[in-house]
Amino acid sequence: MTGGLENIRLYSKLDLEEWISILYEVDEKKRFGSSARLIASVMGSSPSELAYIARKVERTGVDGIEMGLACPMGEGPAVVAGDPDKVYEYVKTACDAVSLPVSVKLSSSCANLPLIVRACIMAGAKGVSAIDTVRGILSIDIENMKAGLPTYGGYSGAPIRLIGLSTVAGIAQTSSIHVVGIGGIENYVNLIEYIMAGASAGAVGTGILLRGYDAVSEIVEGFDRWTGEQGIADIEDIRGAALSSLRSFEELKVESKVAQTCITCQDSECGKCVSCCLDDAVTFDGVVSINKERCTGCGLCISICPENRLRLVWK
């Protein structure tokens, strides 16, 4: 999967006062007559610092504040996001300091996500964002025996979408708090996926870096077109719609299936389905054939076929 970015960038070269000045300017000059809402994302190394920053930002006229507690770079807020008691302290202090709605940006790596979300709710948060970037190492230079980047970075974009969807669904299944789905939203389909997983909204970051701000308008236009075609007037009609199809592993019913060709394949240059089958059930002799006695129905060949020429059927 392409479209991922690894970064260790600083969030800004501007100091707090410069940001405050910009936010005042945005509110006074650029939002006149606009229905857009502005949410300021802030970070701090202690509850009191977060409260101080939140109060300063609130005076600029923003509509909400997002607290970043899950940045994978550094050892500050990153260690907070997995501790319910610390999360409660940080969020409660910030919520008490301002009258604006406060949301909390969470990580996918929290050991007990329901407890973390519960701490956010009890502390007064009105929403959560999920997920922040995933901690990773870009590469290892094996010749020089050095890491590709000098510290751990944050991985973002399309490859982390499955992690983001899982995290959002887990939050939605265990709480009623509003969730902003983040991670790999490249098009309107991805946005709808997040909404059907339980999100109330979606956010785009890496998509803008790779394609520019047009990525946002394309997603919004596609979303409006699709919902119009489906006769959906309110996202609440589809929010969380996919959750009923998600069950615990223990609840799954074991069903015997086998693969078969749904479209005749004579592509001798491909052979992916043959080489990937660990049960030697797929062969090629002019056309792709599947031995039903050998096939275990794992579905790997279906997933790897670039032309969707295979399918699973009841055994």
Side-chain angles (χ1 to χ4, degrees), residues 168-185:
V168 168
I171 294 171
Q173 285 181 320
T174 55
S175 75
S176 59
I177 195 168
H178 287 290
V179 187
V180 178
I182 305 173
I185 296 180

Side-chain angles (χ1 to χ4, degrees), residues 12 67 135 176 224 299:
S12 174
M67 294 173 48
R135 197 178 201 195
S176 59
D224 288 342

Side-chain angles (χ1 to χ4, degrees), residues 8-314:
I8 55 170
R9 67 184 176 86
L10 297 174
Y11 279 92
S12 174
K13 293 181 179 179
L14 304 179
D15 60 29
L16 177 60
E17 296 307 320
E18 289 176 294
W19 270 113
I20 295 297
S21 176
I22 291 172
L23 289 173
Y24 271 122
E25 181 181 352
V26 169
D27 189 59
E28 293 173 0
K29 295 182 179 180
K30 298 181 180 179
R31 289 211 290 158
F32 181 77
S34 171
S35 61
R37 296 291 181 263
L38 183 62
I39 300 174
S41 186
V42 301
M43 293 180 65
S45 58
S46 68
S48 59
E49 183 180 41
L50 258 176
Y52 171 77
I53 296 173
R55 280 193 296 267
K56 297 273 286 185
V57 170
E58 180 181 36
R59 298 188 190 114
T60 67
V62 298
D63 300 292
I65 292 174
E66 178 194 71
M67 294 173 48
L69 294 183
C71 176
M73 291 164 275
E75 293 299 328
V79 299
V80 174
D83 186 326
D85 293 332
K86 288 184 178 180
V87 167
Y88 178 85
E89 182 184 6
Y90 271 70
V91 178
K92 184 73 164 62
T93 303
C95 287
D96 288 347
V98 298
S99 59
L100 290 174
V102 174
S103 65
V104 186
K105 195 169 189 180
L106 298 177
S107 168
S108 62
S109 60
C110 295
N112 197 329
L113 194 59
L115 281 182
I116 300 300
V117 174
R118 183 182 178 189
C120 293
I121 295 172
M122 292 179 65
K126 300 300 182 185
V128 294
S129 302
I131 56 175
D132 208 324
T133 54
V134 177
R135 197 178 201 195
I137 294 176
L138 177 64
S139 62
I140 300 290
D141 181 342
I142 62 173
E143 299 298 330
N144 296 303
M145 294 181 284
K146 290 184 178 180
L149 291 174
T151 187
Y152 296 92
Y155 192 48
S156 64
I160 73 166
R161 185 167 55 248
L162 72 169
I163 305 173
L165 286 170
S166 174
T167 307
V168 168
I171 294 171
Q173 285 181 320
T174 55
S175 75
S176 59
I177 195 168
H178 287 290
V179 187
V180 178
I182 305 173
I185 296 180
E186 296 186 305
N187 50 53
Y188 76 93
V189 173
N190 300 151
L191 174 58
I192 295 168
E193 286 181 300
Y194 269 101
I195 293 172
M196 289 186 174
S200 299
V204 182
T206 300
I208 294 174
L209 295 176
L210 295 176
R211 293 158 49 204
Y213 288 106
D214 285 346
V216 177
S217 58
E218 289 170 6
I219 291 170
V220 172
E221 290 168 5
F223 179 80
D224 288 342
R225 182 175 62 253
W226 185 85
T227 52
E229 291 171 351
Q230 301 297 317
I232 298 168
D234 192 323
I235 69 165
E236 289 301 314
D237 295 337
I238 59 171
R239 187 165 73 89
L243 296 179
S244 62
S245 64
L246 283 173
R247 294 174 174 81
S248 67
F249 180 80
E250 291 74 17
E251 293 178 288
L252 293 180
K253 179 182 177 182
V254 178
E255 301 171 328
S256 297
K257 291 186 176 182
V258 293
Q260 73 172 29
T261 55
C262 58
I263 302 174
T264 301
C265 180
Q266 297 175 297
D267 188 354
S268 60
E269 299 298 321
C270 178
K272 291 182 178 180
C273 58
V274 177
S275 60
C276 80
C277 184
L278 301 180
D279 299 296
D280 293 325
V282 187
T283 57
F284 183 83
D285 185 15
V287 295
V288 169
S289 301
I290 298 174
N291 186 320
K292 292 186 178 181
E293 298 304 317
R294 288 180 172 271
C295 179
T296 60
C298 72
L300 180 56
C301 59
I302 282 83
S303 300
I304 207 169
C305 178
E307 301 295 334
N308 297 316
R309 290 171 172 168
L310 306 171
R311 66 182 177 187
L312 283 180
V313 295
W314 298 108

